[in-house]
Amino acid sequence: MSVLVLENCSLSFGARAIFEGLSLRIAEGDRIGLIGPNGSGKSTLLRVLAGEQQVDSGVVRSARGARIGWLPQDLALEGGRALLEFVRSSVPGRATLEARLADAEARYAAVVEGGDEEALIELASELSEAHEEIARFDVLYSEHEAMKILAGLGFATADLTRDLAEFSGGWKMRAVLAALLFQRPDVLLLDEPTNHLDMPSVAWFSDFLARYSRAFVLISHDREFLNEQIRRVVTFETEGVRQYPGDYERYLVQRAEEEEILENKAKNLERERDKAKEFIDRFRAQATKAKAVQSRIKALDRMESVETYRKRRTMRFSFPLVERAGQDVVKIEHLSKAYGARVVLPDVTLNVYRGDRVGIIGPNGAGKTTLLKMIAGELEPSSGAIRFGHNVKVGYYAQHHADLLHPKNTVLTEVAAANTELGQTRVRSVLGAFLFSGDDVDKPIAVLSGGERARVALARLLVDPGNLLLLDEPTNHLDLDSCESLVESMADYEGTMVFVSHNRALIRRLATKIWVVEGGAVTEYAGNLDDYMQQERARLAGTKPTGEAAPLEPKRVARPAPPADAAPPAPSRSRDDERARRREEARLRELRGKKIGPLKKKVDDYERRIAELEAKQKERNDRLCDPGVKLEDRERFALLDALQSDQAKIDELVERWGKLQEELDAAADQLG
């Protein structure tokens, strides 16, 4: 069943078409990845799906009662509410239910004073219904569930009662994401939801989405995250919006196959044209060949033209050669950082050697960016020392640098100012590699998108990179193609690198060391992300990492037994055939007893357990909804937790019962 549908929709901003004649159906449970270069229209399409942007033509419609949840990249969230209250009150309909209950209680109290018995009975029924609806609502959207989601996204217990105004922009974004996940809308629209998440939160969110049974549309620059989640790709290509089944890797394969097919078709047609032209030119003057020449001319006119895909422009650059630094690049000795009474990093001692590629990971707020800022000299340590080795020159890219670009400067002047020794030709060449060409270089910074500003900041780094690169979340705000291009370019960089990132593909590709910042400590692990994860799993399991497993010996494969549902032999008048028929019937009766009997017993057992749980649920609902029963908060929460827990059990049992019933029906059909 379709939940959200676009039919033949077109949208343009001035002379620029975002999409034309687009038809898109989002069904229940669809898992769609929306990809394309920055500025192609991905976020605009999400706004259309969310009902925030009108199309120029076409129809946008949703199923009756369908709820749509939208997480934009930029939002303004006002204070005045506690975090937990904000998440719980975000579910549509709660305020209406509470108002209805308050109104019924007020009218009930008035009638009790008046003594109208008939009205009292009627209002008691209405009050009971209101309590029942509130109880059902609390089962579906419990405080316990809201707290679980907030914890998964990295919020501490102490954060639950904090006012929203106290949180930074990144944490406000997490709060909105938590509210959307708590609401469980029919369609989730997620625009770069992992931008403000650390690796533990990304892992939790990935697991949540993997279990999410409703539809979602996801924009993400994290290749691994995208591949884990999606089953369909909607992509902005140069020839328009296209759709492909499968994950991102499957899309790349299909796209490459299409390009190859079209290129081969174009080559074949070109060869046919050349042959036809050669025949026409050769025999045009011969009267005996006039008919054949005319036939070739008509065939040439009828020949179709094949336009191969125009490959979209992608960011392509390489770091210049850098001067060789000494063996010891950075020495960090007893470094500490405190903000007032709060000590973030109490005592850190680390070394960075020439050629190291250090990936810094850990939960948000643990001190990853603080550590990088102190190495970059942007933040003073509270104590300790950071010493650079011989001939070390630092290049630094920080998330906020893109926001510090001068808004009135043009792209060209902003990048040229980073290295005044470079000529205009070289600066323009660098900007071309970052997709700024022609008039684009004369655009003021103020009109650029977040992704474009990030590219300008990276271009500033490229014109004067140094031999020690410090990078804080360099892939945020870049599209997938640009992310992968950046990773490849960083892989070829000949200097030393220290970077903070939650992008697993980037860490896995680049890191030769991992620094884990957590709980005030920085722990170093040799190797890449996979090596760290293996060591961490082994540590948690209390065992040493194992080496490569020995190859398994080939198993002996037994000859398969004849199928249980093999048809009995055809009837025969002979005595031997009759005996064989009876033996076969006896065998089938025995199989029925062995196969169908146990299945039937299991089905009956599941039905009994489901009935018992449903009876308990009814008792709990009756207690919660009975206005005559006064429950303390502790009893009420215990009943709600039990309702939620047992409902999950019922759902699981019903699913298993259904599968067993199908198996039983199939066995009964096979065995007659």
Side-chain angles (χ1 to χ4, degrees):
M1 175 184 170
S2 294
V3 184
L4 191 56
V5 177
L6 271 65
E7 291 181 349
N8 200 30
C9 291
S10 298
L11 175 65
S12 297
F13 292 145
R16 178 175 167 244
I18 306 300
F19 48 79
E20 294 178 341
L22 173 61
S23 292
L24 174 65
R25 293 181 181 274
I26 302 174
E28 294 175 348
D30 258 351
R31 309 170 72 84
I32 297 171
L34 188 56
I35 67 173
N38 282 345
S40 60
K42 301 187 299 294
S43 296
T44 301
L45 179 53
L46 282 196
R47 289 175 59 82
V48 169
L49 293 171
E52 297 290 323
Q53 171 69 53
Q54 299 299 310
V55 293
D56 297 332
S57 62
V59 177
V60 181
R61 55 186 173 82
S62 58
R64 178 177 292 181
R67 292 187 298 118
I68 298 168
W70 177 42
L71 179 76
Q73 281 199 53
D74 302 309
L75 51 84
L77 193 61
E78 296 179 357
R81 286 172 293 176
L83 173 64
L84 182 58
E85 178 200 345
F86 164 72
V87 172
R88 292 204 71 200
S89 63
S90 68
V91 183
R94 185 180 193 92
T96 304
L97 282 177
E98 288 176 345
R100 180 185 161 193
L101 178 62
D103 177 62
E105 286 175 340
R107 287 187 288 120
Y108 184 83
V111 170
V112 167
E113 290 180 9
D116 186 339
E117 200 168 309
E118 188 175 334
L120 198 64
I121 293 170
E122 186 177 333
L123 276 172
S125 175
E126 185 180 337
L127 196 58
S128 175
E129 285 179 11
H131 274 290
E132 191 173 339
E133 286 190 38
I134 287 281
R136 277 200 298 268
F137 197 94
D138 285 340
V139 169
L140 289 172
Y141 305 104
S142 69
E143 182 177 281
H144 178 66
E145 182 66 17
M147 291 168 68
K148 271 171 52 180
I149 290 171
L150 286 166
L153 290 175
F155 288 98
T157 304
D159 292 330
L160 302 181
T161 54
R162 286 176 61 192
D163 192 286
L164 289 171
E166 298 176 26
F167 293 101
S168 66
W171 286 97
K172 284 179 180 177
M173 189 72 74
R174 289 194 193 205
V176 174
L177 177 59
L180 286 175
L181 300 185
F182 181 65
Q183 293 168 30
R184 298 195 298 279
D186 299 291
V187 183
L188 260 177
L189 306 174
L190 302 167
D191 196 346
E192 296 286 6
T194 63
N195 263 0
H196 299 282
L197 302 183
D198 50 36
M199 279 190 65
S201 298
V202 170
W204 178 89
F205 182 45
S206 179
D207 184 58
F208 183 97
L209 274 190
R211 293 180 283 107
Y212 194 71
S213 61
R214 304 183 185 193
F216 64 77
V217 182
L218 170 67
I219 299 174
S220 177
H221 65 264
D222 187 327
R223 182 173 184 156
E224 290 192 19
F225 185 78
L226 204 59
N227 275 324
E228 287 170 355
Q229 303 301 337
I230 65 172
R231 301 291 178 270
R232 177 156 51 119
V233 169
V234 175
T235 170
F236 283 78
E237 302 290 350
T238 52
E239 68 272 19
V241 179
R242 301 286 308 280
Q243 300 183 44
Y244 297 84
D247 61 13
Y248 180 69
E249 300 294 339
R250 180 65 189 138
Y251 149 73
L252 291 176
V253 171
Q254 293 175 88
R255 186 71 178 170
E257 288 172 349
E258 285 182 348
E259 289 182 11
E260 186 177 355
I261 289 168
L262 277 181
E263 284 174 5
N264 289 337
K265 190 173 181 181
K267 287 175 184 175
N268 291 336
L269 278 171
E270 195 60 36
R271 279 196 295 269
E272 288 182 33
R273 282 196 188 90
D274 290 343
K275 286 180 182 178
K277 288 176 182 176
E278 184 183 347
F279 184 92
I280 293 166
D281 293 341
R282 185 176 178 185
F283 298 109
R284 186 186 297 273
Q286 296 184 22
T288 56
K289 297 285 187 180
K291 190 173 181 181
V293 168
Q294 286 301 314
S295 175
R296 292 293 196 286
I297 291 172
K298 289 178 181 177
L300 194 61
D301 290 339
R302 288 196 304 268
M303 261 186 207
E304 62 177 314
S305 62
V306 176
E307 184 179 347
T308 55
Y309 288 148
R310 289 172 292 143
K311 295 188 177 181
R312 59 186 176 217
R313 294 172 64 214
T314 53
M315 197 170 76
R316 289 285 180 268
F317 68 95
S318 58
F319 285 96
L321 294 175
V322 295
E323 291 185 32
R324 185 180 174 87
Q327 177 62 21
D328 296 326
V329 175
V330 184
K331 279 187 171 294
I332 301 171
E333 297 172 339
H334 302 293
L335 191 73
S336 74
K337 182 62 184 177
Y339 296 97
R342 180 174 172 254
V343 180
V344 179
L345 298 169
D347 185 4
V348 177
T349 296
L350 296 162
N351 291 311
V352 180
Y353 302 105
R354 186 178 63 240
D356 276 350
R357 297 178 178 192
V358 183
I360 306 178
I361 64 174
N364 277 3
K368 303 187 300 294
T369 295
T370 297
L371 177 59
L372 199 71
K373 281 183 175 180
M374 287 192 288
I375 298 172
E378 195 173 78
L379 194 63
E380 284 291 324
S382 301
S383 65
I386 299 173
R387 294 187 174 87
F388 293 100
H390 173 67
N391 203 32
V392 172
K393 181 181 178 183
V394 176
Y396 180 40
Y397 173 88
Q399 291 187 69
H400 65 275
H401 280 189
D403 297 325
L404 296 179
L405 302 175
H406 198 289
K408 292 184 179 179
N409 278 353
T410 66
V411 171
L412 181 63
T413 54
E414 189 69 29
V415 174
N419 188 344
T420 54
E421 295 179 8
L422 287 183
Q424 289 276 313
T425 303
R426 173 59 182 158
V427 174
R428 284 179 179 273
S429 174
V430 169
L431 286 172
F434 284 88
L435 307 184
F436 294 105
S437 58
D439 294 339
D440 292 339
V441 301
D442 296 321
K443 285 182 178 178
I445 299 296
V447 305
L448 300 183
S449 67
E452 288 170 326
R453 286 197 298 270
R455 296 207 306 270
V456 172
L458 284 169
R460 281 177 56 88
L461 182 65
L462 183 64
V463 298
D464 192 21
N467 52 19
L468 171 61
L469 271 185
L470 305 175
L471 304 136
D472 191 2
E473 297 288 6
T475 59
N476 273 11
H477 305 296
L478 296 180
D479 57 65
L480 259 170
D481 286 340
S482 297
C483 279
E484 295 188 7
S485 175
L486 177 63
V487 171
E488 290 305 312
S489 301
M490 288 168 68
D492 292 334
Y493 173 68
E494 294 184 344
T496 304
M497 190 186 305
V498 181
F499 60 91
V500 174
S501 180
H502 66 266
N503 187 320
R504 287 167 292 172
L506 182 143
I507 303 169
R508 187 169 279 116
R509 177 79 169 85
L510 297 176
T512 58
K513 276 183 183 177
I514 301 290
W515 288 352
V516 180
V517 183
E518 190 169 11
V522 183
T523 309
E524 182 177 291
Y525 292 83
N528 64 15
L529 183 63
D530 291 327
D531 297 326
Y532 155 69
M533 292 173 73
Q534 184 189 18
Q535 293 175 67
E536 186 65 7
R537 281 194 297 266
R539 183 185 67 80
L540 293 172
T543 61
K544 293 182 179 179
T546 56
E548 185 174 337
L552 295 172
E553 290 187 8
K555 295 181 179 178
R556 297 185 182 276
V557 181
R559 182 173 296 176
D565 59 349
S572 170
R573 293 179 183 177
S574 73
R575 190 173 296 176
D576 288 344
D577 286 349
E578 181 62 22
R579 287 194 187 116
R581 186 182 65 78
R582 289 178 180 174
R583 280 198 300 271
E584 182 63 19
E585 286 181 352
R587 187 179 72 83
L588 285 173
R589 280 197 298 274
E590 185 179 358
L591 278 173
R592 290 189 197 103
K594 287 181 178 178
K595 192 168 184 179
I596 293 181
L599 278 173
K600 182 70 167 65
K601 187 177 178 182
K602 284 183 181 178
V603 168
D604 292 342
D605 182 52
Y606 273 105
E607 288 176 349
R608 176 185 57 76
R609 289 163 66 186
I610 291 167
E612 287 174 358
L613 283 172
E614 286 179 338
K616 287 181 182 177
Q617 293 289 76
K618 185 178 184 306
E619 289 175 13
R620 292 172 184 135
N621 259 321
D622 290 345
R623 277 181 62 77
L624 283 165
C625 300
D626 188 346
V629 177
K630 301 296 182 186
L631 296 173
E632 294 183 4
D633 285 348
R634 186 173 60 184
E635 290 179 275
R636 183 178 181 80
F637 288 139
L639 281 171
L640 289 170
D641 279 346
L643 269 170
Q644 186 178 17
S645 174
D646 276 3
Q647 188 57 51
K649 291 177 185 175
I650 289 171
D651 292 343
E652 184 181 353
L653 288 172
V654 167
E655 185 177 352
R656 291 183 183 177
W657 170 83
K659 290 177 180 176
L660 277 172
Q661 188 64 55
E662 289 176 6
E663 194 177 339
L664 178 61
D665 292 343
D669 290 342
Q670 287 176 357
L671 299 174

